[in-house]
Amino acid sequence: MYAKSMLLLPFLIIAPLILTSPLMAQEVVTPLISKDLAGVSGKEIEMYTVDFPPSYSSPVHRHNAQVFLYVLEGSIVTQVKGGKEITLMPGQSYYEDPHDIHTVSRNASNTKPAKFLVFLVKEKGAPSLVLEK
């Protein structure tokens, strides 16, 4: 049993280093507010910023919420299943329906970061993001 544990140990130590490697840049989500929606039982709002490093692309996902997005810096490419791919620039906004599957969500630039503000109206306690298979 000791030998098996020692075999797993290198993986457990190396895995976090791989996940945080600068070669595998990830999006940064910064929560701003989460609050019950006054006058609407069972609903809440959530607002956060998202920073996409250059060339970053998020996996296919859905929000199960009313999603309002506003681009602050850089540009992003977005598409929902059945819709057209569009590029959004600073000052432009976008809406996603609770049933939309977000098939494309990426930084349009290979050299500059992008940042956007997200505002959600969702069921209280529901996850903000659900990965699709």
Side-chain angles (χ1 to χ4, degrees):
M1 183 157 172
Y2 178 75
K4 288 181 183 177
S5 296
M6 291 303 291
L7 291 174
L8 293 177
L9 187 58
F11 173 75
L12 295 174
I13 292 171
I14 292 170
L17 297 175
I18 293 170
L19 294 176
T20 58
S21 166
L23 298 175
M24 296 178 67
Q26 293 293 308
E27 67 185 344
V28 175
V29 177
T30 305
L32 300 173
I33 189 170
S34 180
K35 186 152 180 69
D36 290 351
L37 192 57
V40 183
S41 179
K43 296 282 186 177
E44 65 183 350
I45 61 103
E46 198 171 283
M47 188 166 51
Y48 52 86
T49 58
V50 180
D51 290 272
F52 275 2
S55 302
Y56 179 78
S57 182
S58 67
V60 176
H61 63 277
R62 71 174 13 186
H63 294 282
N64 297 333
Q66 307 277 339
V67 179
F68 303 87
L69 179 147
Y70 180 81
V71 180
L72 299 167
E73 301 170 12
S75 56
I76 60 170
V77 179
T78 188
Q79 180 181 19
V80 294
K81 190 173 185 178
K84 292 182 178 183
E85 186 174 286
I86 60 171
T87 301
L88 299 169
M89 309 298 266
Q92 291 185 306
S93 58
Y94 183 74
Y95 169 79
E96 284 182 48
D97 182 275
H99 301 98
D100 283 338
I101 297 174
H102 208 154
T103 55
V104 176
S105 179
R106 74 174 183 268
N107 187 334
S109 174
N110 293 327
T111 59
K112 297 179 183 175
K115 183 174 189 169
F116 51 97
L117 177 70
V118 178
F119 181 85
L120 303 173
V121 178
K122 63 185 189 69
E123 296 294 324
K124 185 174 172 78
S128 299
L129 183 131
V130 178
L131 296 179
E132 290 289 312
K133 296 179 183 181

